[in-house]
Amino acid sequence: MIMDTTRTRLAVATASALLFAGAPAAYATLTDTGTRPAAATAPAALTAPAARGAAYVETRLFFGTERPDGGPAVTDGQFMDFVDRQVTPAFPDGLTVQDGRGQWRDRNGVIERERSYELILLYPVGRAKAADPGIERIRDAYEKEFGQEAVARLDEPTRADF
């Protein structure tokens, strides 16, 4: 029994010594880029690519299809007609519509699961201030036309290259 305890302690001590001895070298390799030889640099697949494209804003709008008043759900045809009338004139350069499934806690605290649409808009950062009122008009128009409580909006900076 004493022999097993001694062997275990010896194994743990040896492993710890090896880890502590190797740690400074590993950290130096990760942080010291100026002194590493060329052969020790990270493989090409692990290095970050050069930034490509121009600065853009990506706005994503999420449109539910179930009506809080219990009326019929918004159909594909109704939604695409809405896009043609309300979105395309404001963003004629392009957009993307994706089908989705989502859930939302309504004003009464009920979790509603519904079919939804995600609308993605990309526009140059320099046009962000001018685009904002148009995006808000789209949200307001959908809420009014289809009796929705809200249309979610996400804005993120991105880079785009066409």
Side-chain angles (χ1 to χ4, degrees), residues 1 10 18 26 34 36-37 41 44 57 63 76 89 92-93 97 102 105 115 129 140 143 146 155 158 161:
M1 184 71 152
L10 181 59
L18 289 172
R36 276 188 283 158
T41 59
V57 175
F63 300 87
D76 287 338
D93 293 339
V97 174
R105 185 183 306 269
R115 195 172 46 81
K129 189 173 182 179
D140 291 341
E143 290 170 13
F146 298 109
D155 293 303
T158 191
D161 185 23

Side-chain angles (χ1 to χ4, degrees), residues 12-29:
V12 169
T14 302
S16 297
L18 289 172
L19 285 172
F20 289 126
Y27 286 119
T29 302

Side-chain angles (χ1 to χ4, degrees), residues 73-96:
V74 179
T75 66
D76 287 338
Q78 289 171 317
F79 184 76
M80 292 312 297
D81 181 60
F82 176 83
V83 169
D84 290 343
R85 287 182 291 104
Q86 299 289 339
V87 184
T88 300
F91 294 91
D93 293 339
L95 55 92
T96 299

